[in-house]
CSV table of all heavy atoms in Angstrom, one decimal:
chain,number,residue,atom,x,y,z
D,177,GLU,N,16.5,-4.8,-10.8
D,177,GLU,CA,17.1,-4.2,-9.6
D,177,GLU,C,16.2,-3.3,-8.8
D,177,GLU,O,16.3,-3.1,-7.6
D,177,GLU,CB,18.3,-3.3,-10.1
D,177,GLU,CG,19.5,-4.1,-10.6
D,177,GLU,CD,20.7,-3.2,-11.0
D,177,GLU,OE1,20.6,-2.0,-10.7
D,177,GLU,OE2,21.6,-3.7,-11.6
D,178,ARG,N,15.2,-2.8,-9.5
D,178,ARG,CA,14.2,-1.9,-8.8
D,178,ARG,C,12.8,-2.5,-9.0
D,178,ARG,O,12.4,-3.0,-10.1
D,178,ARG,CB,14.2,-0.5,-9.4
D,178,ARG,CG,15.5,0.2,-9.1
D,178,ARG,CD,15.4,1.7,-9.6
D,178,ARG,NE,14.5,2.5,-8.8
D,178,ARG,CZ,14.9,3.3,-7.8
D,178,ARG,NH1,16.2,3.3,-7.5
D,178,ARG,NH2,14.0,4.0,-7.1
D,179,ILE,N,12.0,-2.5,-7.9
D,179,ILE,CA,10.6,-2.9,-8.0
D,179,ILE,C,9.8,-1.8,-7.4
D,179,ILE,O,10.1,-1.3,-6.3
D,179,ILE,CB,10.4,-4.2,-7.1
D,179,ILE,CG1,11.2,-5.4,-7.7
D,179,ILE,CG2,8.9,-4.5,-7.0
D,179,ILE,CD1,10.5,-6.0,-9.0
D,180,ASP,N,8.8,-1.4,-8.1
D,180,ASP,CA,8.0,-0.2,-7.7
D,180,ASP,C,7.0,-0.6,-6.5
D,180,ASP,O,6.9,0.2,-5.6
D,180,ASP,CB,7.1,0.3,-8.9
D,180,ASP,CG,7.9,0.8,-10.0
D,180,ASP,OD1,8.8,1.6,-9.8
D,180,ASP,OD2,7.7,0.4,-11.2
D,181,VAL,N,6.4,-1.7,-6.6
D,181,VAL,CA,5.4,-2.1,-5.6
D,181,VAL,C,5.7,-3.5,-5.1
D,181,VAL,O,5.9,-4.4,-5.9
D,181,VAL,CB,4.0,-2.0,-6.2
D,181,VAL,CG1,2.9,-2.3,-5.1
D,181,VAL,CG2,3.7,-0.6,-6.8
D,182,VAL,N,5.7,-3.6,-3.8
D,182,VAL,CA,5.9,-4.9,-3.1
D,182,VAL,C,4.6,-5.2,-2.3
D,182,VAL,O,4.1,-4.4,-1.5
D,182,VAL,CB,7.1,-4.9,-2.2
D,182,VAL,CG1,7.2,-6.2,-1.4
D,182,VAL,CG2,8.4,-4.7,-2.9
D,183,THR,N,4.1,-6.4,-2.6
D,183,THR,CA,2.9,-6.9,-1.8
D,183,THR,C,3.3,-8.2,-1.1
D,183,THR,O,4.1,-9.0,-1.6
D,183,THR,CB,1.7,-7.1,-2.7
D,183,THR,OG1,2.0,-8.1,-3.7
D,183,THR,CG2,1.3,-5.8,-3.4
D,184,ALA,N,2.7,-8.4,0.1
D,184,ALA,CA,2.8,-9.6,0.8
D,184,ALA,C,1.6,-9.8,1.6
D,184,ALA,O,1.4,-9.2,2.7
D,184,ALA,CB,4.0,-9.6,1.7
D,185,LEU,N,0.7,-10.7,1.1
D,185,LEU,CA,-0.6,-10.9,1.8
D,185,LEU,C,-0.6,-12.2,2.5
D,185,LEU,O,-0.4,-13.3,1.9
D,185,LEU,CB,-1.8,-10.9,0.8
D,185,LEU,CG,-1.9,-9.7,-0.1
D,185,LEU,CD1,-3.2,-9.7,-0.9
D,185,LEU,CD2,-1.9,-8.4,0.8
D,186,HIS,N,-0.6,-12.2,3.8
D,186,HIS,CA,-0.6,-13.4,4.7
D,186,HIS,C,0.7,-14.2,4.5
D,186,HIS,O,0.7,-15.4,4.5
D,186,HIS,CB,-1.8,-14.3,4.4
D,186,HIS,CG,-3.1,-13.6,4.7
D,186,HIS,ND1,-4.1,-13.4,3.8
D,186,HIS,CD2,-3.6,-13.0,5.9
D,186,HIS,CE1,-5.1,-12.7,4.4
D,186,HIS,NE2,-4.8,-12.5,5.6
D,187,ALA,N,1.8,-13.5,4.2
D,187,ALA,CA,3.1,-14.1,4.2
D,187,ALA,C,3.4,-14.5,5.7
D,187,ALA,O,3.5,-13.6,6.5
D,187,ALA,CB,4.1,-13.2,3.6
D,188,CYS,N,3.7,-15.7,5.9
D,188,CYS,CA,3.7,-16.2,7.3
D,188,CYS,C,4.9,-15.8,8.1
D,188,CYS,O,6.1,-15.9,7.5
D,188,CYS,CB,3.5,-17.7,7.3
D,188,CYS,SG,2.9,-18.4,8.8
D,189,ASP,N,4.7,-15.5,9.3
D,189,ASP,CA,5.8,-15.2,10.3
D,189,ASP,C,6.8,-14.2,9.8
D,189,ASP,O,6.4,-13.1,9.4
D,189,ASP,CB,6.4,-16.5,10.8
D,189,ASP,CG,7.2,-16.3,12.1
D,189,ASP,OD1,7.1,-15.3,12.7
D,189,ASP,OD2,8.0,-17.2,12.4
D,190,THR,N,8.1,-14.6,9.7
D,190,THR,CA,9.1,-13.6,9.3
D,190,THR,C,9.2,-13.4,7.8
D,190,THR,O,10.0,-12.5,7.3
D,190,THR,CB,10.5,-14.2,9.7
D,190,THR,OG1,10.7,-15.5,9.2
D,190,THR,CG2,10.5,-14.3,11.3
D,191,ALA,N,8.3,-14.0,7.0
D,191,ALA,CA,8.3,-13.8,5.5
D,191,ALA,C,7.9,-12.3,5.3
D,191,ALA,O,8.3,-11.7,4.3
D,191,ALA,CB,7.4,-14.7,4.8
D,192,THR,N,7.1,-11.8,6.2
D,192,THR,CA,6.7,-10.3,6.0
D,192,THR,C,7.9,-9.5,6.2
D,192,THR,O,8.1,-8.5,5.5
D,192,THR,CB,5.6,-10.0,7.0
D,192,THR,OG1,4.4,-10.8,6.7
D,192,THR,CG2,5.2,-8.5,6.9
D,193,ASP,N,8.7,-9.8,7.2
D,193,ASP,CA,10.0,-9.0,7.5
D,193,ASP,C,10.9,-9.2,6.3
D,193,ASP,O,11.6,-8.2,5.9
D,193,ASP,CB,10.7,-9.5,8.7
D,193,ASP,CG,9.8,-9.4,10.0
D,193,ASP,OD1,9.5,-8.2,10.3
D,193,ASP,OD2,9.3,-10.4,10.5
D,194,ASP,N,11.0,-10.3,5.7
D,194,ASP,CA,11.8,-10.5,4.5
D,194,ASP,C,11.3,-9.7,3.3
D,194,ASP,O,12.1,-9.2,2.5
D,194,ASP,CB,11.9,-12.0,4.1
D,194,ASP,CG,12.6,-12.9,5.1
D,194,ASP,OD1,13.5,-12.3,5.8
D,194,ASP,OD2,12.3,-14.1,5.2
D,195,ALA,N,10.0,-9.6,3.2
D,195,ALA,CA,9.4,-8.8,2.2
D,195,ALA,C,9.7,-7.3,2.4
D,195,ALA,O,10.0,-6.6,1.4
D,195,ALA,CB,7.8,-9.0,2.1
D,196,ILE,N,9.7,-6.8,3.6
D,196,ILE,CA,10.1,-5.5,3.9
D,196,ILE,C,11.6,-5.2,3.5
D,196,ILE,O,11.9,-4.2,2.9
D,196,ILE,CB,9.9,-5.1,5.4
D,196,ILE,CG1,8.4,-5.1,5.7
D,196,ILE,CG2,10.5,-3.8,5.8
D,196,ILE,CD1,8.0,-5.0,7.1
D,197,ALA,N,12.4,-6.2,3.9
D,197,ALA,CA,13.9,-6.1,3.6
D,197,ALA,C,14.0,-6.1,2.0
D,197,ALA,O,14.9,-5.3,1.5
D,197,ALA,CB,14.6,-7.3,4.2
D,198,PHE,N,13.3,-6.9,1.3
D,198,PHE,CA,13.3,-6.9,-0.1
D,198,PHE,C,12.9,-5.6,-0.7
D,198,PHE,O,13.5,-5.0,-1.6
D,198,PHE,CB,12.3,-8.0,-0.6
D,198,PHE,CG,12.1,-8.0,-2.1
D,198,PHE,CD1,12.9,-8.9,-2.9
D,198,PHE,CD2,11.1,-7.3,-2.7
D,198,PHE,CE1,12.7,-8.9,-4.3
D,198,PHE,CE2,10.9,-7.3,-4.1
D,198,PHE,CZ,11.7,-8.1,-4.9
D,199,GLY,N,11.8,-5.0,-0.1
D,199,GLY,CA,11.3,-3.7,-0.6
D,199,GLY,C,12.3,-2.6,-0.4
D,199,GLY,O,12.5,-1.7,-1.3
D,200,LEU,N,13.0,-2.6,0.7
D,200,LEU,CA,14.1,-1.6,1.0
D,200,LEU,C,15.2,-1.8,0.0
D,200,LEU,O,15.8,-0.8,-0.5
D,200,LEU,CB,14.6,-1.8,2.4
D,200,LEU,CG,13.6,-1.5,3.6
D,200,LEU,CD1,14.2,-1.7,4.9
D,200,LEU,CD2,13.1,0.0,3.5
D,201,GLN,N,15.6,-3.0,-0.2
D,201,GLN,CA,16.7,-3.3,-1.2
D,201,GLN,C,16.4,-2.9,-2.6
D,201,GLN,O,17.2,-2.4,-3.3
D,201,GLN,CB,17.1,-4.8,-1.1
D,201,GLN,CG,18.3,-5.1,-2.0
D,201,GLN,CD,18.8,-6.6,-1.8
D,201,GLN,OE1,18.7,-7.1,-0.7
D,201,GLN,NE2,19.2,-7.2,-2.9
D,202,LYS,N,15.1,-3.1,-3.0
D,202,LYS,CA,14.7,-2.8,-4.3
D,202,LYS,C,14.2,-1.4,-4.5
D,202,LYS,O,13.6,-1.0,-5.5
D,202,LYS,CB,13.6,-3.8,-4.7
D,202,LYS,CG,14.0,-5.2,-4.8
D,202,LYS,CD,15.0,-5.5,-5.9
D,202,LYS,CE,15.3,-7.0,-6.1
D,202,LYS,NZ,16.3,-7.2,-7.2
D,203,HIS,N,14.3,-0.6,-3.4
D,203,HIS,CA,13.9,0.9,-3.5
D,203,HIS,C,12.4,1.0,-3.9
D,203,HIS,O,12.0,1.8,-4.7
D,203,HIS,CB,14.7,1.7,-4.5
D,203,HIS,CG,16.2,1.5,-4.2
D,203,HIS,ND1,16.8,2.1,-3.2
D,203,HIS,CD2,17.2,0.8,-4.9
D,203,HIS,CE1,18.1,1.8,-3.2
D,203,HIS,NE2,18.3,1.0,-4.2
D,204,ALA,N,11.5,0.1,-3.3
D,204,ALA,CA,10.1,0.1,-3.6
D,204,ALA,C,9.5,1.5,-3.2
D,204,ALA,O,9.7,2.0,-2.2
D,204,ALA,CB,9.4,-1.0,-2.8
D,205,GLN,N,8.6,1.9,-4.1
D,205,GLN,CA,7.9,3.2,-3.8
D,205,GLN,C,6.7,2.9,-2.9
D,205,GLN,O,6.3,3.7,-2.1
D,205,GLN,CB,7.3,3.8,-5.1
D,205,GLN,CG,8.4,4.3,-6.0
D,205,GLN,CD,9.3,5.3,-5.4
D,205,GLN,OE1,8.8,6.4,-5.0
D,205,GLN,NE2,10.6,5.1,-5.3
D,206,PHE,N,6.2,1.7,-2.9
D,206,PHE,CA,5.0,1.3,-2.1
D,206,PHE,C,5.2,-0.1,-1.6
D,206,PHE,O,5.7,-1.0,-2.3
D,206,PHE,CB,3.7,1.4,-2.8
D,206,PHE,CG,3.4,2.8,-3.3
D,206,PHE,CD1,3.5,3.1,-4.7
D,206,PHE,CD2,2.9,3.8,-2.4
D,206,PHE,CE1,3.2,4.4,-5.1
D,206,PHE,CE2,2.6,5.0,-2.9
D,206,PHE,CZ,2.7,5.3,-4.2
D,207,MET,N,4.8,-0.4,-0.4
D,207,MET,CA,4.7,-1.8,0.1
D,207,MET,C,3.3,-1.9,0.7
D,207,MET,O,2.8,-1.1,1.4
D,207,MET,CB,5.7,-2.0,1.2
D,207,MET,CG,7.1,-1.9,0.8
D,207,MET,SD,8.3,-2.6,2.0
D,207,MET,CE,9.7,-1.5,1.8
D,208,VAL,N,2.6,-3.1,0.4
D,208,VAL,CA,1.3,-3.4,0.8
D,208,VAL,C,1.4,-4.7,1.5
D,208,VAL,O,1.6,-5.8,0.9
D,208,VAL,CB,0.3,-3.4,-0.3
D,208,VAL,CG1,-1.1,-3.8,0.2
D,208,VAL,CG2,0.3,-2.1,-1.1
D,209,LEU,N,1.2,-4.7,2.9
D,209,LEU,CA,1.5,-5.9,3.7
D,209,LEU,C,0.2,-6.3,4.5
D,209,LEU,O,-0.4,-5.4,5.2
D,209,LEU,CB,2.6,-5.6,4.6
D,209,LEU,CG,3.9,-5.0,4.0
D,209,LEU,CD1,4.8,-4.5,5.0
D,209,LEU,CD2,4.6,-6.0,3.1
D,210,VAL,N,-0.1,-7.6,4.5
D,210,VAL,CA,-1.1,-8.1,5.5
D,210,VAL,C,-0.4,-9.2,6.2
D,210,VAL,O,-0.3,-10.4,5.8
D,210,VAL,CB,-2.3,-8.7,4.7
D,210,VAL,CG1,-3.3,-9.2,5.8
D,210,VAL,CG2,-3.0,-7.6,3.9
D,211,PRO,N,0.2,-8.9,7.4
D,211,PRO,CA,1.0,-9.9,8.2
D,211,PRO,C,0.2,-11.1,8.7
D,211,PRO,O,-1.0,-11.0,8.9
D,211,PRO,CB,1.6,-9.1,9.3
D,211,PRO,CG,1.4,-7.6,8.9
D,211,PRO,CD,0.2,-7.6,8.1
D,212,CYS,N,0.9,-12.2,8.9
D,212,CYS,CA,0.2,-13.4,9.3
D,212,CYS,C,1.1,-14.2,10.2
D,212,CYS,O,2.3,-14.3,10.0
D,212,CYS,CB,-0.3,-14.2,8.1
D,212,CYS,SG,-1.2,-15.7,8.5
D,213,CYS,N,0.6,-14.9,11.2
D,213,CYS,CA,1.3,-15.9,12.1
D,213,CYS,C,2.6,-15.3,12.6
D,213,CYS,O,3.7,-15.9,12.4
D,213,CYS,CB,1.5,-17.1,11.3
D,213,CYS,SG,0.1,-17.8,10.5
D,214,GLN,N,2.6,-14.2,13.2
D,214,GLN,CA,3.8,-13.5,13.7
D,214,GLN,C,4.3,-14.3,15.0
D,214,GLN,O,3.9,-13.9,16.1
D,214,GLN,CB,3.5,-12.0,14.0
D,214,GLN,CG,3.0,-11.3,12.9
D,214,GLN,CD,1.4,-11.2,12.9
D,214,GLN,OE1,0.8,-12.2,13.1
D,214,GLN,NE2,0.9,-10.0,12.7
D,215,ALA,N,5.2,-15.3,14.8
D,215,ALA,CA,5.5,-16.1,15.9
D,215,ALA,C,6.9,-15.8,16.5
D,215,ALA,O,7.2,-16.1,17.6
D,215,ALA,CB,5.6,-17.6,15.4
D,216,GLU,N,7.7,-15.1,15.8
D,216,GLU,CA,9.1,-14.8,16.2
D,216,GLU,C,9.2,-14.0,17.5
D,216,GLU,O,9.9,-14.4,18.5
D,216,GLU,CB,9.9,-14.1,15.1
D,216,GLU,CG,11.4,-14.0,15.5
D,216,GLU,CD,12.2,-13.2,14.4
D,216,GLU,OE1,11.7,-12.2,13.9
D,216,GLU,OE2,13.3,-13.7,14.1
D,217,VAL,N,8.5,-12.9,17.6
D,217,VAL,CA,8.5,-12.1,18.8
D,217,VAL,C,7.9,-12.8,20.0
D,217,VAL,O,8.4,-12.7,21.1
D,217,VAL,CB,7.8,-10.7,18.5
D,217,VAL,CG1,7.5,-10.0,19.8
D,217,VAL,CG2,8.7,-9.9,17.6
D,218,ALA,N,6.8,-13.5,19.7
D,218,ALA,CA,6.1,-14.3,20.8
D,218,ALA,C,7.1,-15.3,21.4
D,218,ALA,O,7.1,-15.5,22.6
D,218,ALA,CB,4.9,-15.0,20.2
D,219,SER,N,7.9,-15.9,20.5
D,219,SER,CA,8.9,-16.9,21.0
D,219,SER,C,9.9,-16.2,21.9
D,219,SER,O,10.3,-16.7,23.0
D,219,SER,CB,9.6,-17.6,19.8
D,219,SER,OG,10.6,-18.4,20.3
D,220,CYS,N,10.4,-15.0,21.5
D,220,CYS,CA,11.3,-14.2,22.3
D,220,CYS,C,10.7,-13.8,23.7
D,220,CYS,O,11.3,-13.9,24.7
D,220,CYS,CB,11.8,-13.0,21.6
D,220,CYS,SG,12.7,-13.3,20.1
D,221,LEU,N,9.4,-13.4,23.6
D,221,LEU,CA,8.7,-13.1,24.9
D,221,LEU,C,8.7,-14.3,25.8
D,221,LEU,O,8.8,-14.1,27.0
D,221,LEU,CB,7.3,-12.6,24.6
D,221,LEU,CG,7.2,-11.2,23.9
D,221,LEU,CD1,5.8,-10.9,23.5
D,221,LEU,CD2,7.7,-10.1,24.8
D,222,ARG,N,8.4,-15.5,25.2
D,222,ARG,CA,8.3,-16.7,26.1
D,222,ARG,C,9.6,-17.0,26.8
D,222,ARG,O,9.7,-17.3,27.9
D,222,ARG,CB,7.9,-17.8,25.1
D,222,ARG,CG,6.5,-18.4,25.4
D,222,ARG,CD,6.2,-19.5,24.5
D,222,ARG,NE,5.1,-19.1,23.6
D,222,ARG,CZ,5.2,-19.0,22.3
D,222,ARG,NH1,6.3,-19.2,21.7
D,222,ARG,NH2,4.2,-18.6,21.6
D,223,GLN,N,10.7,-16.8,26.0
D,223,GLN,CA,12.0,-17.1,26.6
D,223,GLN,C,12.4,-16.2,27.7
D,223,GLN,O,13.1,-16.7,28.7
D,223,GLN,CB,13.1,-17.0,25.5
D,223,GLN,CG,13.0,-18.1,24.4
D,223,GLN,CD,14.0,-17.8,23.3
D,223,GLN,OE1,14.8,-17.0,23.3
D,223,GLN,NE2,13.8,-18.6,22.2
Side-chain angles (χ1 to χ4, degrees):
E177 289 185 8
R178 296 182 70 95
I179 294 287
D180 295 310
V181 182
V182 173
T183 61
L185 304 187
H186 300 122
C188 200
D189 196 14
T190 57
T192 298
D193 300 292
D194 291 335
I196 291 171
F198 173 94
L200 294 176
Q201 183 174 326
K202 297 292 186 180
H203 308 287
Q205 294 301 300
F206 299 104
M207 298 191 217
V208 180
L209 312 166
V210 179
C212 184
C213 306
Q214 305 95 313
E216 185 180 43
V217 167
S219 176
C220 294
L221 289 173
R222 249 180 245 113
Q223 290 173 12

